[in-house]
Amino acid sequence: MSRLTIILTDLITRAQSGHPVPFTKLASGLRVAVRCLPGGGRQMSLTRTASQKPSVKEAEVCRDHAAWPLASIEEARTVSGLPCLLITEARP
């Protein structure tokens, strides 16, 4: 199991509705957070800085390591206006 898989598994496991969103900053500078959606699904957000946005390749790697092969990836902005990518877990 890779280090990234362990980190993402921990974040996903700690994500609970109504609780603070767990996040971590990876060595690459990528900030990863996981939250629970109202319908029971989960969503991972990837951010960097105001001048740098995360790449789709980084999102694909995180999606694969989280074992969410059918998850969608979309561009968005955080509440504070930072560019981010959202990876939304596919629900059956």
Side-chain angles (χ1 to χ4, degrees):
M1 193 181 281
S2 75
R3 187 170 193 286
L4 180 58
T5 301
I6 293 168
I7 290 168
L8 294 178
T9 301
D10 177 59
L11 286 175
I12 292 166
T13 303
R14 291 188 300 146
Q16 297 179 23
S17 289
H19 289 83
V21 176
F23 72 91
T24 192
K25 190 169 185 178
L26 303 176
S28 65
L30 188 67
R31 184 179 185 272
V32 182
V34 178
R35 68 183 184 116
C36 290
L37 300 173
R42 294 171 292 191
Q43 188 175 63
M44 192 179 316
S45 66
L46 310 178
T47 55
R48 283 194 176 278
T49 64
S51 60
Q52 277 188 309
K53 64 181 187 177
S55 71
V56 172
K57 181 64 179 168
E58 289 173 313
E60 290 170 343
V61 168
C62 287
R63 178 188 63 194
D64 294 344
H65 281 269
W68 295 354
L70 302 176
S72 64
I73 299 172
E74 60 187 289
E75 288 186 21
R77 293 226 171 245
T78 65
V79 174
S80 60
L82 292 176
C84 71
L85 289 175
L86 298 176
I87 305 167
T88 306
E89 179 183 34
R91 301 295 296 171

